[in-house]
Amino acid sequence: MQKTVSMTVTESTLGYSVDRKEESPDVPEYLRETYWWAYLHPRAVKFFENQWIVNMILWGNFSRLRDMALDEMGENISGRTLQVACVYGDFTPKLAQRMAPGARLDVVDVAPIQLENLQRKIGKQFNVFPDRQNAATLSFDDATFDQTVVFFLLHELPADVRAATVREAMRVVKPGGKVVFVDYHRPVWQHPHRYIMKPILKTLEPFALDLWKTEITDWVPDDFQPANIEKTTYFGGLYQKVVLTR
Ligand SMILES: C[S@@+](CC[C@H](N)C(=O)[O-])C[C@H]1O[C@@H](n2cnc3c(N)ncnc32)[C@H](O)[C@@H]1O
């Protein structure tokens, strides 16, 4: 029922449709079923790859949320950094700009079209390495990265994929390294957007309300419990940054 609603809304809003089964047959089913209109269709990439649109989706908070995620990693980021999943807008270009000499940025995404889009955006950069991987089953060795960032991915994942993604993000970071999550959060009860966002998320992003009900730390498995946890909420609690130190 939810899917039917989201199909109708997005097809009429964006003016395109696609046979979801044939498009990107090798990406996870939830992406094909729920998010084809946002991430898999070529016209979706064209439509959403606009700074003002991503900013509007986040109620004007994109730059602020981007910068607080980046600031958590520093102005001059050294060592090896992992970005889990591509993001529309200038998140990755800005992250790449902060790489110190000799540092390396790996960006993984499960959708080939998103990696192609990223490549177009960043051009040839010798220290940025896009790679096709599923966040839930990363191919990197344990403790490969000095820091990892997961920007607005968790709310798009079904529960089992989300738990696996949090585990993988912790596994691949070195002891003492940070994992920075930025995502939705339950706003304070008197927040005016609360009553707008609930039906929007319920209709278009069926897994997102889990972030309203559960703490990100609840998805960290026992074998990767963080040495330190910092949680900050923003914009009346609608967004959160959670920094876990392994
Ligand atoms: C980071 S999230 C959304 C970020 C934000 N809403 C934006 O403006 O782009 C979207 C990306 O996650 C990717 N993605 C979804 N599930 C994934 C998974 N299991 N592994 C890797 N990438 C995934 C999608 O292909 C898409 O490129």
Side-chain angles (χ1 to χ4, degrees), residues 99-112:
M99 290 295 124
R104 167 184 172 130
L105 171 62
D106 292 81
V107 185
V108 299
D109 199 284
V110 77

Side-chain angles (χ1 to χ4, degrees), residues 8-9 12 85 91 127 137 143 149 151 156 196 198 238:
T8 311
V9 170
S12 60
F91 187 91
N127 58 350
T137 52
V149 61
F151 192 78
E156 298 185 342
I196 306 168
K198 204 165 184 178
L238 183 59

Side-chain angles (χ1 to χ4, degrees), residues 20-36 39-41 109-115 132-134:
R20 290 166 297 146
K21 294 280 177 203
E22 283 175 19
E23 188 76 13
S24 307
D26 48 353
V27 303
E29 177 128 352
Y30 67 86
L31 255 187
R32 280 184 287 134
E33 291 292 330
T34 311
Y35 286 109
W36 62 272
Y39 299 122
L40 302 182
H41 196 287
D109 199 284
V110 77
I113 189 169
Q114 288 294 331
L115 291 164
R132 185 164 184 227
Q133 290 195 36
N134 191 324

Side-chain angles (χ1 to χ4, degrees), residues 1-15:
M1 189 62 183
Q2 266 174 4
K3 278 171 200 151
T4 314
V5 173
S6 96
M7 286 278 295
T8 311
V9 170
T10 56
E11 282 182 18
S12 60
T13 310
L14 302 177

Side-chain angles (χ1 to χ4, degrees), residues 39 58 65 87 150-156 182-184 239:
Y39 299 122
L58 294 177
L65 295 167
V87 175
V150 188
F151 192 78
F152 281 96
L153 174 64
L154 296 184
H155 74 279
E156 298 185 342
V182 177
D183 221 303
Y184 285 108
Y239 306 112

Side-chain angles (χ1 to χ4, degrees), residues 44-56 88-89:
V45 176
K46 229 174 159 181
F47 178 83
F48 286 106
E49 191 51 86
N50 282 298
Q51 198 69 28
W52 70 269
I53 290 182
V54 289
N55 196 36
M56 189 182 69
Y88 289 134

Side-chain angles (χ1 to χ4, degrees), residues 185-186 209-216 218-219 240:
H185 181 266
R186 185 183 59 250
L209 288 175
D210 289 0
L211 273 289
W212 286 32
K213 296 181 215 137
T214 312
E215 296 292 336
I216 288 176
D218 291 343
W219 296 309
Q240 63 181 318

